């Protein structure tokens, strides 16, 4: 039969792998608001926009929601993404601008940028009429500013420039109206007044025509009550973090005094009063600064007041954004974006820069977008727009619809599963494909029928309960979707269950004797067995037991444990565990070890001496001769020894932490066998260091281990001499040695400061703090309380540190979750006050998708490896790079190479087989490992994989490598 040969030509362009990752546009720079001076020497405006993507995005621009035709006006030009307007004019060019970036995956729309023009017109040249008032009367001089943009600053000139009107309790210039207010005119005020305005953007200034002020000659104005002439609005709105200025000024005779108050609250302590209290200034205004404010003007003739509401708003701010998502065709999409703001933001959705409208499959409710049964038409760039009356923010993500035939990982392709009768077995079947493959199982050529023992699980795995010989055979799992199918084969072998015999089961030995424990396994002949020995549940270390233990394996199916020269410490329960490739069984035996007594065989009684008073004992007798030892007698009845005065004093007498003015004395209680009688208790004696007489206190509980003496006159850290004695109904026993301890310094009084919480990983947050050193109430450690955002404070969990630690990493937290933290110091006396609360959010979990389609080329002692990039899901953290783990077969320790690109060069210095796998890593940790590849390393030579088109990783961008590979025919040579 003729053989068919194929010649395959592989072409590689250096750098292809790192540039082959295609993705939709993503903004690097969005346009900013611009104020353009109308009289500027610069004759052009540039609105910047830059996006990255592969392919490289192209750009379009919109003004007031309508696309700009760049060819419609010779003044327009586009350089990369930057839109340039030459000779801009307010009439044609002012407005709201947005940039639209597009590539093959879709379009995204930038935030709005406002282009406005700065200018300042001239005052009307018309002569202003003189203002004539009586002395003592109030007056308002009008500024009537010219047209302008943006804001202007007002000041007034008296008679001639640069003699400016000085503001005081009698004179006030409003920066809201521009007018000059004089509460009580004096003869020195007579003159000419000129309003000067200054543009805040261009610094241009213009002067008004003069307004003469004269005094009437028909008398002096009498006293009158205040009249508030200028005040802040009924509703003042301010953005959080800005500075609020509220004006209030009154005319009156005498000159009124201005005071401020917050109704039903206190004026913020950070507030400042300006211009003789006519201006209330609140810097860095916060939400809790909002409320009803009142200014009051008062003089000897009366008072007047005005009230207005301060409302603080916040711009929308993202709490939860979108992430790029890949879905199988037919799957549901659920995206949620969350933003905070005041007023609460509303949400809109865009697809490829155009508003997305509800349809049969598309729902949009409160920031949630749901698309049922996605298909290729749904692929594209999506944006969530959160907005309130003060601003809007955009979040974007790409939706890709996957479509591929099922495939299986290499480690699933062929499996041999060995179990024993009666066991449960689960055969995994997890094909990858889009849409999700349907699963079917066959045993041999027949479809598997589900019953009470055999079931196909939701994840596609096959479960067999109470396995028997009839379940042996080859099982085939097939995954199938509209694009194709694939299958894996698993061989199941059912063996007889292993049994174990351990002898002897219970033995009594005398110190110095030896014994052999035999462990026999009855098992399927095709299975290898391994024996493990334990004592009191712990593995026996045969090398560290001083030669007392030896494991003897004379036969394949049995093992002996030799115990030589047995000691008291060797008494206990001995375990033997038999391990096969199919199952594991174990059993235990008990060894009792006694102390030998010299009692001759003709004796019928013996005296037990040196027993403890007031203790119950029971006795047994064991007969022994040179042949061996007999069984012990049944136990005697319980008998108690007589009472006696206690002879054992308490030990470890020491001090403990307590509250201020307390002396806390602690000791280790005397065990019951040394109490020697009923009515046992303690005598606590103490005296201030350097004094003579002892104070004694009786503690009647035999279990007591602490006594607290409280005296308000005792200063903290006062040294005391202390001893603790014992007594019972027979009399007083001995005292302990005298020790010196100090009275308590009390619980901590200061809260930790500068508390910070920093997310470390998907399950860890670092909490750090500082603590003021205290002369008293010194902390023994710190307690960190933490809770999730939606949990009540009483549900908080705690972690304690000891010593002077100033940070702790909390573990076991939930991913992508907001937590709140407090820290407080503690010692033996109690807890100090908690710190202020801080918050942090754990990082998103690492990507579950494994790097796929591994391909490599080996050249000498180096391997060039590439793979498909990992794209994280919406609830997963962004990929920061990749880790390549490689080791020689037979070695347990892997070496690691980190790279930001989906490629790496791996050194293979030694001959042998190398095992290699790749993981993506993110701020949430390492992701799922790729399928392992096994690469043989030889001295020289060249090996390439045939899994996919190969690309060499040449360092030169211009180098091209041609690889020729011959496909070996299926027929034999």
């Amino acid at each position: 039969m003729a053989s068919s040969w194929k010649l395959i030509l592989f072409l590689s362009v250096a750098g292809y792998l790192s540039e082959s990752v295609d993705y939709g546009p993503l903004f690097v720079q969005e346009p900013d608001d611009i104020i353009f001076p109308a009289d500027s020497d610069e004759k052009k405006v540039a609105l910047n926009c830059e996006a990255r993507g592969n392919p490289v995005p192209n750009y379009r621009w919109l003004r007031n929601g309508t696309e700009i035709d760049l060819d419609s006006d010779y003044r327009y030009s586009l350089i990369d993404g930057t839109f340039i307007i030459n000779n801009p004019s307010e009439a044609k060019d002012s407005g709201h601008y947005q940039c639209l970036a597009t590539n093959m995956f879709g379009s995204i729309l930038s935030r709005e940028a406002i282009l406005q023009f700065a200018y300042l017109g001239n005052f009307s040249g018309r002569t202003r009429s003189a203002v004539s008032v009586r002395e003592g009367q109030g007056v308002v001089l009008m500024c009537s500013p010219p047209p302008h943009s943006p804001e202007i600053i007002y000041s007034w000139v008296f008679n001639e420039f640069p003699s400016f009107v000085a503001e005081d309790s009698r004179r006030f210039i409003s920066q809201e109206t521009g007018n000059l207010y004089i509460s009580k005119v004096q003869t020195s005020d007579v003159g000419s007044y000129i309003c000067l305005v200054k543009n805040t953007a261009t610094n241009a200034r213009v002067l008004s025509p003069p307004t003469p002020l004269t005094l009437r000659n028909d008398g002096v104005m009498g006293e009158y009550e205040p009249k508030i002439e200028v005040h802040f609005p009924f509703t003042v709105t301010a953005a959080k973090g800005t500075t609020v200025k509220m004006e209030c000024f009154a005319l009156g005779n005498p000159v009124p005094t201005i005071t401020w108050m917050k109704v039903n609250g206190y004026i913020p302590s950070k507030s400042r009063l300006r211009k003789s209290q006519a201006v209330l200034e609140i810097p860095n205004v916060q939400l809790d600064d909002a409320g009803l404010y009142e200014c009051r003007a008062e003089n000897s003739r009366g008072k007047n007041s005005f009230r207005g509401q301060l409302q603080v708003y916040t711009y929308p701010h993202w709490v939860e954004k979108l992430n790029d998502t890949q879905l199988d065709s037919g799957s549901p999409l659920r995206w949620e974006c969350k933003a905070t703001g005041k007023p609460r933001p509303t949400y809109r959705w865009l697809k490829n820069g155009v508003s997305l409208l509800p349809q049969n499959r598309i729902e949009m409710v409160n920031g949630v977008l749901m698309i049922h049964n996605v298909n290729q038409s749904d692929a594209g760039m999506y944006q969530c727009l959160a907005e309130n009356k003060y601003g809007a923010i955009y979040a974007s993500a790409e939706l890709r619809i996957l479509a591929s035939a099922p495939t299986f990982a290499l480690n699933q392709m062929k499996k041999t599963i060995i179990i024993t009768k009666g066991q449960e077995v689960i055969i995994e079947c997890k094909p990858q494909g889009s849409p999700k493959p349907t699963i079917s199982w066959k045993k041999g050529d027949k479809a598997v029928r589900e019953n009470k023992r055999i079931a196909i699980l939701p994840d596609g795995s096959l479960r067999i309960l109470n396995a028997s010989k009839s379940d042996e055979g080859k099982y085939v799992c097939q995954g199938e979707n509209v694009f194709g199918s694939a299958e894996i084969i698993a061989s199941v072998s059912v063996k007889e269950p292993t049994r174990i015999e351990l002898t002897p089961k219970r033995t009594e030995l005398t110190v110095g004797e030896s014994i052999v424990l035999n462990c026999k396994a009855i098992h399927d002949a095709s299975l290898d067995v391994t024996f493990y020995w334990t004592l009191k549940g712990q593995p026996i270390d045969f090398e560290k037991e001083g030669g007392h233990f030896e494991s003897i394996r004379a036969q394949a199916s049995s093992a002996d444990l030799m115990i030589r020269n047995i000691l008291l410490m060797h008494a206990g329960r001995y375990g033997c565990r038999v391990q096969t490739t199919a199952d594991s069984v174990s059993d235990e035996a008990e060894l009792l070890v006694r102390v030998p007594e010299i009692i001759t065989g003709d004796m019928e009684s013996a005296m037990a001496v040196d027993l403890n008073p007031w203790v119950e004992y029971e006795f047994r007798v064991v007969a022994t001769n040179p042949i061996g030892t007999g069984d012990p007698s049944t136990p005697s009845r319980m008998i108690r020894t007589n009472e006696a005065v206690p002879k054992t004093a308490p030990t470890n007498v020491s001090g403990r932490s307590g509250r201020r003015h307390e002396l806390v004395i602690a000791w280790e209680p005397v065990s019951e066998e040394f109490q020697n009688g009923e009515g046992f208790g303690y005598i606590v004696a103490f005296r201030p260091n350097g004094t003579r007489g002892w104070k004694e206190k009786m503690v009647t509980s035999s279990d007591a281990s602490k006594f607290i003496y409280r005296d308000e006159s005792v200063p903290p850290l006062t040294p005391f001499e202390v001893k603790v004695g014992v007594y019972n109904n027979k009399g007083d026993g001995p005292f302990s040695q005298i020790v010196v301890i100090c009275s308590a310094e009390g619980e901590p009084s200061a809260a930790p400061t500068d508390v910070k919480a920093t997310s470390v990983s998907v399950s860890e947050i670092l909490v750090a703090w500082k603590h003021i050193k205290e002369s008293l109430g010194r902390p023994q450690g710190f307690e960190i309380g933490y809770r999730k955002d939606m949990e009540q404070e009483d549900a908080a969990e705690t972690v304690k540190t000891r010593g002077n630690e100033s940070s702790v990493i909390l573990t076991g937290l939930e991913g992508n979750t907001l937590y709140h933290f407090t820290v407080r110091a503690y010692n033996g006396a109690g807890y100090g006050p908690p710190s202020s609360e801080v918050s942090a959010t754990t990082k998103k979990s690492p990507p579950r998708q494994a790097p796929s389609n591994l391909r490599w080329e080996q050249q000498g002692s180096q391997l060039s490896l590439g793979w498909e990039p990992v794209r994280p899901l919406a609830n997963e953290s962004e990929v920061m790079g990749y880790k390549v783990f490689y080791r020689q077969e037979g070695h347990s320790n892997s070496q690691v190479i980190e790279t930001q690109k989906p490629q790496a060069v791996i050194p293979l210095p030694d001959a042998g087989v190398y095992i290699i796998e790749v993981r993506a890593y993110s701020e949430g940790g390492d992701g799922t490992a790729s399928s392992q590849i096994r690469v043989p390393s030889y001295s020289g030579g060249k090996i390439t994989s045939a899994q996919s088109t190969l690309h060499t990783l040449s360092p030169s961008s211009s180098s091209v490598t041609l690889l020729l590979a011959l496909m070996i025919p299926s027929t034999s040579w």
Side-chain angles (χ1 to χ4, degrees), residues 122 181 210 269 367 409 439 550 628 682 689 714 720 955:
N122 289 313
Y181 301 83
S269 58
I439 304 295
E550 181 182 355
Y682 300 94
N689 206 3
V714 175
F720 280 79

Side-chain angles (χ1 to χ4, degrees), residues 396-450:
S396 63
E398 179 183 347
L399 173 62
R400 289 196 185 185
I401 308 302
L402 303 176
S404 63
T407 59
F408 286 95
L410 290 176
N411 59 1
Q412 294 187 53
M413 294 304 288
K414 274 194 175 183
K415 284 186 177 180
T416 299
I417 301 173
I418 302 174
I419 58 171
T420 59
K421 287 182 181 178
Q423 279 189 325
E424 172 186 333
V425 63
I426 294 179
I427 310 173
E428 286 190 345
C429 181
K430 297 180 179 178
Q432 294 180 343
S434 299
K436 185 178 181 180
T438 56
I439 304 295
S440 61
W441 282 91
K442 293 189 296 184
K443 181 184 178 186
D445 295 328
K446 295 183 179 179
V448 172
R449 290 186 177 181
E450 295 188 75

Side-chain angles (χ1 to χ4, degrees), residues 860-917:
S861 61
Q862 286 190 334
L863 181 85
S864 296
L865 177 68
W867 56 88
E868 289 296 325
V870 171
R871 301 298 297 273
L873 300 179
N875 61 343
E876 297 172 344
S877 51
E878 292 293 330
V879 174
M880 299 169 62
Y882 300 88
K883 293 181 181 179
V884 182
F885 298 81
Y886 66 99
R887 60 180 173 86
Q888 275 192 289
E889 192 171 47
H891 293 236
S892 58
N893 294 330
S894 294
Q895 294 179 275
V896 182
I897 293 175
E898 292 191 12
T899 175
Q900 266 70 56
K901 300 178 180 179
Q903 62 191 57
V905 177
I906 304 167
L908 309 177
D910 302 317
V913 175
Y914 282 82
I915 298 173
I916 303 171
E917 66 181 28

